[in-house]
Amino acid sequence: MPDLTIETTPIPGLLVVRLDLREDARGFFKENWQREKMVALGLPDFGPVQNNVSFNAHRGTTRGIHTEPWDKFISVANGRIFGAWVDMREGESFGATFHVEVDPSVAVFVPRGVGNSYQTLEDGVAYTYLVNEHWRPATAYPALNLADETVAIPWPIPLSESEISEKDLATPSLADVTPMAPKKTLIVGALGQLGRALQADFPEADLVDLAELDLTDATAVAAWPWHEYALVLNAAAYTAVDAAETTEGRRTCWAANAAAPATLARLADEHGFTLVHYSSEYVFDGTVPEHTEDEPVSPLGVYAQAKAAGDLAVATARRHYVLRTSWVIGEGNNFVRTMKRLAEQGVSPEVVSDQVGRLTFTGELARATRHLLDSRAPFGTYHCSNGGPAMSWADIASAVFELCGRSADDVRPITTEQYAVGKTLAPRPASSTMSLAKLASTGFVPVDAATALRDYVTGSAPTDG
């Protein structure tokens, strides 16, 4: 009895699946599509949403070469076909070909952008295929002439003796085909400090902010062409921690930090894109010295609660990364720049000394994002900050003062309780320090926070993206 196996081909991503076909006097049985087993063997978890059957009455029926903008998993319910594929994607493999005879014991995974065609070798063949996007009327896609001399497909039955549609007879040659571009990347919240840093690592991404796409507007979300994207980076967030405790702020915070990520998680599964979402150490109450990814969330304030809800929502998407980070420093006004300005102005500030964590420069967060995607790290939640020992806000301020030529003693440490006198503040976790072990297990080496801080203050490296 044959085992289920998967074979690679000269076309990147095109896979031949040898099925476990069980035959007896009555006929045969096969698991034509078995997600758990096939994904474990290396088939992409492509999320089929539609099953089609093309019945071909006569031997010699020839269809193609069609390059639909979705993945396909093709097989036959009976009979035999000669299947042929041509890579129509942008890149070095454009024009590469592969062909194989397909009977009920064989299936083929055809990635988006690879031209698909077949010729029936018997009468009455039922050709079946799964696709991971619903068919859309008027969808345009490249097509290639079946007789193109460049790819020279060795059809078993001469095309002059085959049944071919008028449409397929009129398709262009390879020289006249516009290669299919890959799906795109979308950065949501592109004008924020993290969104700007991400642009350096994802220079070809489409960029949107609230003015172009409001994720709380159902009409705008429904009109957006989500099927064009393979990757969505959600850098949008409500970050006014104290204002989130007000009536208006609470509603805005929950809409941006909980409802919008939930919408993106639903869209990620519906359209098959990978979702990267950025969260915060505020999802923890700060009562343990170092937070790990599997620690139960225990948010203190409204901002923290909304971020925790967003984490849980994004985790429902099949293809997701949640990057929890702490004390983010990027373009625009931030704590480090404030301390530098005060040092240069001769001011000696009071700074909280009983909140401990690590800085995260936005360039480091963007670099970690690129690493997780490029290394195809397992989906899930990762903690990300710059490396090195944990520091208090007062420690960081003192380091900035020293870098500016001032004495560290010019920064006066105070407690959170002392700082809060006369102010209305949201609760903060006392410990914002996160374990970086899981991220390190993927091969990512964080830049030491003290080194990044020095470079940021002295302007010797673009650590803020």
Side-chain angles (χ1 to χ4, degrees):
M1 186 178 301
D3 294 327
L4 176 68
T5 60
I6 295 180
E7 304 167 1
T8 59
T9 72
I11 297 179
L14 184 78
L15 303 173
V16 176
V17 183
R18 304 290 178 177
L19 301 170
D20 180 4
L21 189 72
R22 307 190 178 198
E23 299 179 276
D24 61 22
R26 299 167 298 174
F28 69 79
F29 172 82
K30 63 173 176 174
E31 292 180 334
N32 199 56
W33 161 246
Q34 216 284 7
R35 174 180 174 271
E36 183 177 8
K37 293 178 183 177
M38 293 179 179
V39 169
L41 290 173
L43 195 78
D45 193 4
F46 73 113
V49 298
Q50 185 170 327
N51 182 41
N52 301 325
V53 178
S54 173
F55 180 74
N56 303 272
H58 303 121
R59 175 180 181 273
T61 298
T62 307
R63 302 177 188 264
I65 303 169
H66 303 152
T67 314
E68 293 94 346
W70 42 70
D71 301 325
K72 304 173 76 169
F73 184 81
I74 72 101
S75 59
V76 294
N78 65 294
R80 296 177 301 119
I81 65 166
F82 173 85
W85 296 270
V86 181
D87 198 336
M88 306 283 277
R89 299 168 295 188
E90 291 181 354
E92 294 180 359
S93 61
F94 177 74
T97 64
F98 176 76
H99 56 84
V100 69
E101 185 173 308
V102 176
D103 61 23
S105 70
V106 177
V108 178
F109 176 76
V110 186
R112 175 187 182 274
V114 173
N116 185 79
S117 62
Y118 67 92
Q119 185 177 77
T120 57
L121 303 178
E122 300 178 8
D123 292 343
V125 175
Y127 174 92
T128 73
Y129 56 105
L130 300 169
V131 294
N132 60 353
E133 287 190 28
H134 294 294
W135 180 82
R136 298 183 301 275
T139 299
Y141 52 81
L144 175 64
N145 196 279
L146 293 160
D148 181 77
E149 295 180 354
T150 308
V151 298
I153 294 172
W155 299 106
I157 301 170
L159 294 179
S160 59
E161 302 172 15
S162 303
E163 292 190 20
I164 304 173
S165 70
E166 291 296 324
K167 181 179 179 181
D168 287 347
L169 287 171
T171 50
S173 63
L174 190 66
D176 297 322
V177 168
T178 300
M180 182 176 286
K183 284 193 172 185
K184 300 182 291 183
T185 294
L186 178 68
I187 299 176
V188 181
L191 296 182
Q193 61 176 351
L194 176 56
R196 293 179 187 276
L198 288 168
Q199 293 177 40
D201 283 85
F202 300 87
E204 302 302 321
D206 286 352
L207 310 176
V208 295
D209 214 84
L210 189 62
E212 295 83 20
L213 176 62
D214 182 354
L215 290 172
T216 66
D217 183 338
T219 301
V221 169
W224 195 262
W226 298 104
H227 63 274
E228 295 180 3
Y229 298 94
L231 174 65
V232 174
L233 307 173
N234 181 33
Y238 180 94
T239 58
V241 175
D242 297 322
E245 300 293 327
T246 67
T247 300
E248 182 178 352
R250 183 180 302 113
R251 292 170 179 165
T252 305
C253 178
W254 271 89
N257 293 350
T263 295
L264 287 173
R266 172 181 59 80
L267 292 166
D269 279 352
E270 183 178 341
H271 296 279
F273 60 75
T274 296
L275 173 61
V276 180
H277 175 69
Y278 300 90
S279 185
S280 166
E281 92 286 3
Y282 269 67
V283 302
F284 303 118
D285 61 13
T287 57
V288 299
E290 188 175 66
H291 303 290
T292 59
E293 285 85 354
D294 58 0
E295 178 184 336
V297 296
S298 50
L300 295 174
V302 172
Y303 166 80
Q305 292 159 8
K307 292 300 288 186
D311 282 17
L312 296 174
V314 171
T316 66
R318 290 193 305 271
R319 301 170 58 88
H320 79 274
Y321 294 103
V322 173
L323 273 71
R324 289 198 189 116
T325 189
S326 61
W327 299 7
V328 176
I329 304 295
E331 293 184 2
N333 295 326
N334 58 60
F335 177 81
V336 172
R337 282 184 171 163
T338 297
M339 291 301 108
K340 181 180 180 182
R341 185 183 74 251
L342 295 179
E344 292 170 345
Q345 293 174 349
V347 178
S348 297
E350 295 180 334
V351 183
V352 170
S353 62
D354 58 357
Q355 295 176 29
V356 179
R358 293 192 189 95
L359 292 176
T360 309
F361 290 88
T362 52
E364 183 79 342
L365 194 50
R367 188 172 71 91
T369 302
R370 183 83 266 177
H371 168 80
L372 288 173
L373 292 164
D374 289 348
S375 66
R376 299 186 179 181
F379 295 122
T381 298
Y382 293 83
H383 289 172
C384 178
S385 69
N386 282 91
M391 304 172 71
S392 70
W393 287 116
D395 292 334
I396 295 168
S398 295
V400 173
F401 267 54
E402 289 185 318
L403 288 167
C404 293
R406 293 278 301 275
S407 170
D409 294 336
D410 289 341
V411 175
R412 298 194 295 272
I414 60 172
T415 66
T416 299
E417 184 178 4
Q418 291 172 318
Y419 179 76
V421 173
K423 304 180 181 73
T424 302
L425 300 178
R428 264 81 167 166
S431 173
S432 292
T433 310
M434 300 185 297
S435 170
L436 304 180
K438 183 177 179 181
L439 182 60
S441 71
T442 69
F444 184 81
V445 179
V447 174
D448 187 85
T451 301
L453 179 63
R454 180 202 65 204
D455 293 344
Y456 187 85
V457 172
T458 61
S460 59
T463 53
D464 63 343

